Structures are given as structure tokens and as C-alpha cells.
């Protein structure tokens, strides 16, 4: 299962009103379209711009409207925290505030190494509640609280702008009063630990902004996801660089394969990823291979970088085609270079492999696949269709 993050687009005037997929040379993708069955997919629902997390939940066969409450849990899982159903998780920024609790820098001067700070935060105790805290990349971190009677229905402490006071976490429902109180207690204790920390004293002396406050946002409750192995009988693995995607896959019970050189950017080492995916196929029935750079190029509005990465990905695909039974090629959402963000346009899909009902589609792109045999489907039906082709699904009824 090859998922190209944000690869779908709208017609681009600079490309003669072709989309980057239509403009790119991509013989391997087109070959799959010719041999396979094509269609369009509304990953979440028609007209709903998906996030990468909700999109991947759908692509793995879950209903995002049922299981998704916020981004926190998926980010925490992506950072390697083993979540339990009911855990409340947040995205966290190390930030700089002054004595009046006014935010001066939401990224603490884009601080790089926060390991020492992480260790000190991990020692904070809250009564009756367990804390799991992990620094991730640069100024980012993730917080999980685990205990009885917790709720994700709380507000952010992040004001999302500078020169504004940090916010108190508020309960957004009556069930969340205890959680809000615990989080405010955590924030106070973390501030005390951080502002006196030797690393921050050192930063002050060097003229760098202190990383003296933790801004919390994106509260969500970890859902119970029935593992893919139970749901479809697939032993499955994921090759991805993006933490959010790894998080969704980990929660679905997939094995996460780390690949050195996979960066999640346009310069990612595609060969290393393809090799890792092929190795994983030796002892897994389903491998999800995720390539992220298209989305980055699209957020930057760079259609040329997007076309180039499509052509590099097509070359990589050449290594995979002969060595797999089934190949499913798709995209988690459209990210038009003209919009710089995700939109709700449906994305092209193709499945090729033994005994698929191949259609007349000759090219893998947004307009050609609209005429294919899969018609227009929802994202959550994609994996059941593949499972059925692979002889893995159970009959409904007698
Ligand atoms: Zn995405
Ligand atoms: Zn994006």
C-alpha cells in the first residue's frame, strides 16, 4: 500500500492547466493504472478536507468520525509512547514566557536539544495520575496523562500568539473539571522546574531565550482501535517518517519499521524506504509505505518540486512492482499548490494484482481515474476491498 501524502492537486496554470500528476513522467504509476482497477476516493467524506491523521485512520479501515477526538494521541503514539484506551494526550511546545506569564516566543528560539529538560519534567508527580512526557523534534513534545475519571474536553493553555498571557486550562464540560485542575497543576510545576533549570540558566547567559514553559494543545483521548490483525487477519507493518502517520499505524497494531535516511521531506531517501518495505514484505502480508514530501512541496506552493518528487517516486515504484502480489497506490488528501493547504477534492486510487477487474483507465491521475471501475468510494472501504481481493474477508450472512 503506497500512500503519497498530499500528491493530488488541482489544475495548475503554470503547468498548462495540468495537475502535477498529469504533468509528470510516471510510466510505472500509469502501468499500474493500465493493469489495475481505478477510481476516486473521498478519504473522509465528500468535501471534507482531511488531516493526515484522520485520513490514515480511514485508510486503515476505521471511521474517523467515531475514533478521532484530537491530534494529541496520534502524535504521542508516533513519539513511541504506548497509549492505552482512555489516556488523554496533548501536543506540547517548549516556549519562552516572561515573569508576567506573557508568551514571548512560542518555540523558545527553536531550541534543538531538550533532553535534559525532558528528564526533569518526567519527574513531576501529580496525585493519583500518571504522567508520560516525551520531547520529540526541536521545540516539540508530547504529554499523556493516565488515570481514572479523566476527560479530553479541556481547552488549550497555548494562546497561539505571542505577547499574550498563557491561558489557564478550562473544563469544556462538567466531566472535565478534575482534568483541567490537574493540567493547571502540571503547568505550574513544569514552569517551576524549567525556569530554575541549569540548561535555561546557561541559555540566558548565552543570550538565548529560555525554554521555560510548556504550552499544551490538541487534547484528545486515545481510542480503542481493533488491531488490523484481528480485524482482517493481516500481519502488517508501516514504513514512514512522519510521526503522525507512525502514530496511527502503531495504534492500529502495525509494526513500525525505522529507516535511516527517511526524513519526511522532498529529499528523503526513497531507495532506503523501498528496500525496507520489501524486507518487511518477507514476513508481513500488508506493508504501508508512506511518502510525505509532496505535502511539504504543496504547502510551499512549489509545483516543480512536486513534479520532481512524483518522478522520483515513480522510479522507486519500479523496484516494488514485480515483487508484490497486490499494489494499492493512493493519496491521503489533495493539497493544491495554489491553496497551500489540504482540500476536500477526492483523490485517485488504483489496485492492481491477480484477478482484479481491470478497467480502461490508462493513466494514474485525478481526471483519468474518475472513469475507473471502483467508481467513487469512501476511504474507510479501501482496506476491506483489498482484504476481500486477498481472500481475507468474512462472509456477512449465510
Ligand atoms: Zn497528509
Ligand atoms: Zn499537509
Amino acid at each position: 500500500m503506497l500512500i503519497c501524502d498530499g500528491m493530488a492537486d488541482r489544475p495548475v496554470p503554470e503547468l498548462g492547466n495540468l495537475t502535477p500528476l498529469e504533468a509528470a513522467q510516471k510510466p510505472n504509476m500509469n502501468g499500474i493504472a493500465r493493469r489495475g482497477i481505478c477510481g476516486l476516493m473521498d478519504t473522509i467524506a465528500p468535501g471534507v478536507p482531511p488531516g493526515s491523521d484522520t485520513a490514515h485512520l480511514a485508510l486503515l479501515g476505521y471511521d474517523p468520525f467515531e475514533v478521532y477526538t484530537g491530534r494529541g494521541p496520534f502524535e504521542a503514539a508516533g513519539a513511541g509512547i504506548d497509549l492505552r484506551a482512555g489516556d488523554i494526550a496533548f501536543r506540547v511546545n517548549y516556549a519562552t514566557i516572561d515573569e508576567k506569564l506573557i508568551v514571548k516566543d512560542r518555540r523558545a528560539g527553536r531550541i534543538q536539544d531538550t533532553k535534559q529538560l525532558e528528564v526533569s519534567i518526567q519527574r513531576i508527580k501529580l496525585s493519583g495520575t500518571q504522567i508520560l512526557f516525551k520531547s520529540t523534534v526541536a521545540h516539540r513534545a508530547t504529554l499523556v496523562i493516565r488515570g481514572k475519571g479523566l476527560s479530553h474536553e479541556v481547552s488549550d493553555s497555548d494562546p497561539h500568539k505571542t505577547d499574550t498571557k498563557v491561558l489557564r486550562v478550562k473544563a469544556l464540560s462538567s466531566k472535565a473539571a478534575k482534568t483541567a485542575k490537574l493540567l493547571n497543576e502540571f503547568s505550574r510545576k513544569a514552569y517551576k522546574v524549567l525556569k530554575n533549570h541549569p540548561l535555561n540558566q546557561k541559555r540566558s547567559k548565552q543570550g538565548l531565550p529560555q525554554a521555560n514553559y510548556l504550552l499544551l494543545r490538541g487534547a484528545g483521548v486515545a481510542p480503542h482501535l481493533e488491531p488490523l490483525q484481528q480485524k482482517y487477519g493481516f500481519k502488517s507493518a508501516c514504513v514512514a517518517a512522519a510521526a503522525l502517520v507512525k502514530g496511527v499505524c502503531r495504534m492500529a497494531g502495525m509494526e513500525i519499521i525505522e529507516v535511516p535516511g527517511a526524513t519526511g521531506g522532498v529529499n528523503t531517501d526513497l531507495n532506503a524506504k523501498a528496500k525496507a518495505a520489501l524486507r518487511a514484505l518477507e514476513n508481513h502480508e500488508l506493508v504501508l509505505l508512506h511518502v510525505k514530501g509532496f505535502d511539504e512541496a504543496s504547502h510551499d506552493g512549489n509545483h516543480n518540486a512536486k513534479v520532481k518528487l512524483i518522478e522520483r517516486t515513480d522510479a522507486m515504484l519500479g523496484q516494488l512492482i514485480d515483487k508484490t502480489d497486490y499494489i494499492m497506490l493512493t493519496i491521503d488528501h489533495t493539497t493544491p499548490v495554489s491553496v497551500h493547504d489540504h482540500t476536500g477534492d477526492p483523490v485517485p486510487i488504483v489496485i492492481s494484482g491477480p484477478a482484479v477487474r481491470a478497467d480502461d483507465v490508462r493513466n494514474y491521475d485525478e481526471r483519468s481515474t474518475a472513469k475507473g471501475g471502483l467508481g467513487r468510494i469512501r476511504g474507510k472501504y479501501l482496506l476491506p476491498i483489498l482484504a476481500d481481493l486477498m481472500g481475507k474477508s468474512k462472509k456477512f450472512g449465510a
Side-chain angles (χ1 to χ4, degrees), residues 23-81:
Q25 297 294 319
K26 43 171 182 38
N28 289 315
M29 292 187 191
N30 291 344
I32 294 174
R34 229 165 281 145
R35 291 186 298 276
I37 183 166
C38 296
L40 284 180
M41 173 173 72
D42 295 292
T43 317
I44 308 282
V48 177
S52 286
D53 42 12
T54 48
H56 279 80
L57 281 168
L59 292 171
L60 293 177
Y62 304 102
D63 185 338
F65 292 122
E66 261 172 40
V67 299
Y68 188 82
T69 53
R71 182 166 170 170
F74 300 94
E75 204 125 322
I81 294 180

Side-chain angles (χ1 to χ4, degrees), residues 83-350:
L83 287 177
R84 298 186 194 157
D87 285 354
I88 312 295
F90 297 82
R91 310 176 67 197
V92 179
N93 268 25
Y94 286 96
T96 309
I97 64 167
D98 68 11
E99 312 81 71
K100 292 184 182 128
L101 306 185
I102 308 288
V103 178
K104 289 294 160 192
D105 185 341
R106 287 185 61 250
R107 300 179 181 89
R110 293 193 177 268
I111 185 169
Q112 286 304 316
D113 188 4
T114 56
K115 188 74 203 165
Q116 296 175 48
L117 303 177
E118 174 196 73
V119 171
S120 302
I121 296 292
Q122 285 168 343
R123 290 194 197 110
I124 293 176
K125 294 267 175 290
L126 292 182
S127 46
T129 308
Q130 196 186 341
I131 289 177
L132 304 156
F133 181 84
K134 213 162 173 177
S135 290
T136 51
V137 180
H139 56 273
R140 299 182 194 89
T142 170
L143 170 72
V144 173
I145 57 172
R146 177 176 293 167
K148 287 211 172 71
L150 300 177
S151 163
H152 69 284
E153 290 170 333
V154 290
S155 63
D156 296 351
S157 71
D158 186 351
H160 296 272
K161 54 184 179 214
T162 46
D163 295 320
T164 310
K165 202 170 167 188
V166 300
L167 302 173
R168 275 183 70 76
V169 176
K170 289 196 199 83
L172 302 176
S173 77
S174 54
K175 312 182 279 221
K178 174 183 159 185
T179 311
K181 195 165 158 263
L182 283 166
L183 289 164
N184 286 318
E185 182 189 336
F186 171 78
S187 298
R188 261 194 318 277
K189 288 183 171 167
Y191 178 44
K192 209 170 151 194
V193 167
L194 291 173
K195 75 174 173 192
N196 297 315
H197 198 283
L199 183 78
N200 272 326
Q201 307 297 341
K202 197 171 127 198
R203 283 178 72 80
S204 288
K205 275 190 205 120
Q206 292 170 331
L208 296 168
Q210 291 200 355
N212 59 9
Y213 204 82
L214 298 177
L215 295 174
L216 311 178
R217 63 202 156 101
V221 58
H224 170 70
L225 299 183
E226 189 188 351
L228 293 189
Q229 173 99 54
Q230 255 172 47
K231 226 172 151 186
Y232 303 107
F234 283 140
K235 196 169 173 236
S236 57
C238 149
V239 177
L244 214 49
V245 173
K246 285 197 273 191
V248 174
C249 291
R250 177 172 283 123
M251 286 171 81
M254 301 174 82
E255 188 182 329
I256 309 297
I257 296 175
E258 301 292 345
V259 182
T263 59
V266 288
N267 297 319
T268 192
D269 187 345
L270 289 174
N271 276 326
K273 285 178 103 162
K275 286 210 183 81
L278 284 175
R279 257 197 317 277
L281 273 172
E282 287 166 15
N283 51 3
H284 296 85
E285 292 161 288
L286 176 77
V287 175
L288 185 156
L289 173 55
H290 175 262
V291 181
K292 169 83 182 157
F294 312 97
D295 192 54
E296 185 189 286
S298 313
H299 281 282
D300 293 344
N302 189 340
H303 58 270
N304 287 328
K306 199 164 175 179
V307 170
K308 259 189 218 134
L309 184 60
I310 293 169
E311 294 179 345
R312 282 181 58 217
T313 303
D314 191 78
M316 172 197 77
L317 200 52
Q319 303 176 41
L320 302 176
I321 288 174
D322 299 339
K323 302 192 177 83
T324 50
D325 293 335
Y326 286 93
I327 272 204
M328 175 191 285
L329 168 60
T330 194
I331 301 170
D332 58 345
H333 48 74
T334 298
T335 315
V337 289
S338 56
V339 180
H340 300 210
D341 208 346
H342 308 182
T343 60
D345 309 65
V347 296
I349 44 174
V350 57

